[in-house]
Amino acid sequence: MPTAILTGQPVPGSSIESDLRDLGFDVRTASDPADAEALLAAVPGEERVALVDARFVGHPHALRLGLTDPRFPLAAVPGAVTARAEGRQALTRALARETSAAGGTAHAGTPARTTLSAGDPAGVDSLADRIVTALDADGATVHRPELGSLVAAVPADPQARNEARQAVAAVDDEAVRLKSAVKARDGFFTTFFISPYSRYIARWCARRGLTPNQVTTASLLTALIAASCAATGTRAGFVAAGVLLIVSFVLDCTDGQLARYSLQYSTLGAWLDATFDRAKEYAYYAGLALGAARGGDDVWALALGAMVLQTCRHVVDFSFNEANHDATANTSPTAALSDKLDSVGWTVWVRRMIVLPIGERWAMIAVLTAATTPRITFYALLAGCALAATYTTAGRVLRSLTRKAQRTDRAARALADLADNGPLSELLARVLPAGRFPALLWAVVGAVLLPLAAWIDGPGWSVVLCAVVYVLLSSEAVAHPLKGALDWLVPPLFRAAEYGTVLILAAKSDVNGALPAAFGLVAAVAYHHYDTVYRIRGDAGAPPAWLVRAVGGQEGRTLLVTVLAALLTAAQFKVALTVLAVAVALVVLVESIRFWVAAHQGGAPAVHDEGEPA
C-alpha cells in the first residue's frame, strides 16, 4: 500500500486525510521535517510514497492526478509531491538536504509560492513545495499534471483558505474527471458519436472494479464474434457483424477512457490495446473474405490488399514520427501552415476525417458490411485508405523537404530497426562497398522492381533473380545511417515490397487457398513489425537480433518466398506459405508475449499512448 506523509500543521475540518485514504494511501503524520525523513526511511523502497502538506485544499481529482499516476517516477501538485520506487532516491536525498539545511524546522530561505487554479498567489512555506524546488535544482524530472479548472493549493491564512474552498465548491470534480477521460485529440466520429456516452461506460466499469485490460479483452472478443458473423456469408450475419464491430469500437474507446479516468496505466495494457486493435481489424477482413467465399465471391486478394495498404500506412506514420522524435529546429513552412489551419475550426475536422482514422474507418466498414457486399466494402476501404495515404504521405514529404533539422543517431537507429533487415543484409554490408547514392533511391528501385517482376512474370526464376537484386539494393539502402530528409520512407517501402510480392505471387499461383495462406503469412510478419514499433515507442529498444535473424529479416523472407514459388507446384506453394506463416507466427508471438509479460512483471515504467495510428 502506498504511504502518504502529512506535514505541517493540520487544519480543523480538513478532508485531506480521508481524501488520501480514498486514493488508497496509508496516511501518517510528521511533526517536523526530521520526523518526515524518519517516516520516509521506514517505508519499503519498492512502495510509492507522498509528502503532502496538511493544509492542502483542493479537489480529490487534483490529488489523484498528482499522486497516483503510475507513469512518472516523480510527480507533484502544489502542496504535494510523490515518488515511485525509481524516484525514491532523489526524493530521499532532497528531503535529507532540506532537513539538514533547516535544522529540522522551517526553511530559512524564500518561502515557496503556490497558486490557485485561477492564478491568485498564496505565499506559504510548504515542505512539499520546497522538496519539489530541490528536485528541480538536482535536475530531476518532476511531472506536473495539467489541472485546468481543478484547485490545488496550500493557503497561507484563513481568508485564503476560505477562498480556496469556495473555488473547490465552484468546480464539479467529477465532471472534470469525466471530461478529462476523453482523449483531447480524436476523430470526428469518435468525438461526436462515441465519446459522449462511452465515458459513462468507463465510469461504470471503474465503479465495479473492472480494469482497462479486461475491457480491451472484451473488445477483442466482440470483434472476433463480429468476424465470425461476417464469415457466415448471410445477410443476417453481415448485419450482426456490422453492429458488433461498432460495439467493439465503443469498448475500444472505453478502455482508454477507463485508463484515464482511474489512472490505470500499464506497459502491458498499452501493448494489448495497440496489438488488439490490429488483430481485430485484420481478423474482420478475414471474416469478410470467408463470408464472401461462401457466397461464391473470392475477395481474398482484396482483403490481403487492404491489410497491406493499411499496414504500410501505419509504417509511414511510425517511421515519420520516429525520424522526427527528437529533431530540432523545425522551420518547415508546411508545418506552420498546418498549425495555422488547425486554428480554423472546420478545417480541423475535415483534415482528421480525410486521413480515415480508426473511428471513421470502422464505421464505414460496419455500415457497408450491413448494407452491401464484402466486395463493395473492400473497394470502398481500399479507395479511402489510398486517398488517406496519399494525403498524409504527401504532407509529410513536404514537411521533410522544407524542414531544417538534423536527424539524430537515435532516429537513425529507430529507422534501421523498423527496416527489419536480416542476416543477408548484415553479411552483404560487410563485403560490399558502400554506395554513393541515397538510401531512398535504392529502396525505391527495389520496391518497384520486385513486385513489378512478380506481376509481369509470376512465379519463376526471373523473379528469383530480381529478388536477389532486391536483397542487394536493400542492403545498400541501410549501409549508411538513415539520416536523409526522406529516409523515413525506407521502412514502408520495404514493407510494400515484401507484402506486395507475397500477395502477387499467391494470386498468380492461381490455386484455391494460396491467398488465405498468404494472408496468414503477411499477418504474422506484420505482427512482428508492429511489435517492433511498440517496443521502440516504449523505449525498450528493438526486438533481439536473434529474433530478426530467426525470421530471416525482410529481405530473407522475400527471397525465400520467391524461391518457393519457383521451385514448387502451385499446390505445394500454398502448403509452404501456410507452414511459413505458422512458423513465423509461433516464433514472434512467443517472444513478444514473453517480453511484454516480463516487462510488466519487472515493473517497467507504465505508458499510455494518446496517439492512434490512422
Side-chain angles (χ1 to χ4, degrees), residues 399-543:
R399 287 192 184 201
S400 300
L401 291 175
T402 56
R403 171 174 286 168
K404 297 178 181 178
Q406 294 295 322
R407 304 292 182 219
T408 63
D409 291 338
R410 179 200 179 282
R413 180 69 260 167
L415 291 179
D417 292 335
L418 290 173
D420 191 37
N421 276 30
L424 288 178
S425 287
E426 290 179 2
L427 176 63
L428 291 172
R430 297 191 188 102
V431 300
L432 292 178
R436 299 180 180 179
F437 296 102
L440 181 62
L441 178 61
W442 299 115
V444 168
V445 173
V448 172
L449 173 67
L450 183 55
L452 184 61
W455 179 264
I456 294 174
D457 291 342
W461 292 107
S462 61
V463 178
V464 174
L465 178 61
C466 290
V468 172
V469 175
Y470 173 76
V471 171
L472 295 173
L473 294 173
S474 60
S475 301
E476 285 288 350
V478 295
H480 295 294
L482 298 176
K483 293 187 176 183
L486 297 178
D487 282 355
W488 55 269
L489 284 169
V490 171
L493 284 169
F494 285 168
R495 297 296 82 75
E498 179 183 1
Y499 301 163
T501 300
V502 173
L503 166 60
I504 294 170
L505 290 178
K508 290 284 186 175
S509 67
D510 198 26
V511 61
N512 189 34
L515 280 167
F519 188 97
L521 175 59
V522 172
V525 175
Y527 177 87
H528 166 58
H529 291 144
Y530 281 119
D531 188 56
T532 301
V533 168
Y534 303 142
R535 293 192 194 211
I536 293 173
R537 279 186 166 184
D539 291 326

Side-chain angles (χ1 to χ4, degrees), residues 317-342:
D317 293 340
F318 298 143
S319 296
F320 178 80
N321 291 335
E322 288 303 323
N324 298 284
H325 177 79
D326 44 12
T328 57
N330 177 12
T331 56
S332 166
T334 307
L337 175 61
S338 178
D339 293 339
K340 185 176 181 180
L341 287 174
D342 277 344

Side-chain angles (χ1 to χ4, degrees), residues 241-261:
V243 172
L244 288 172
L245 187 63
I246 294 297
V247 173
S248 175
F249 182 65
V250 171
L251 293 174
D252 183 54
C253 295
T254 300
D255 64 4
Q257 291 165 357
L258 174 58
R260 285 182 286 272
Y261 181 84

Side-chain angles (χ1 to χ4, degrees), residues 34 68 70 77 91 140 171 269 297 299 324 401 411 414 433 545 573 580 591:
T68 68
V77 292
L91 180 67
V171 176
D297 189 11
V299 297
N324 298 284
L401 291 175
F573 181 55
L580 188 57
E591 162 56 20

Side-chain angles (χ1 to χ4, degrees), residues 218-242:
S219 176
L220 173 66
L221 293 175
T222 304
L224 293 180
I225 295 172
S228 300
C229 290
T232 63
T234 64
R235 177 52 52 196
F238 288 148
V239 172

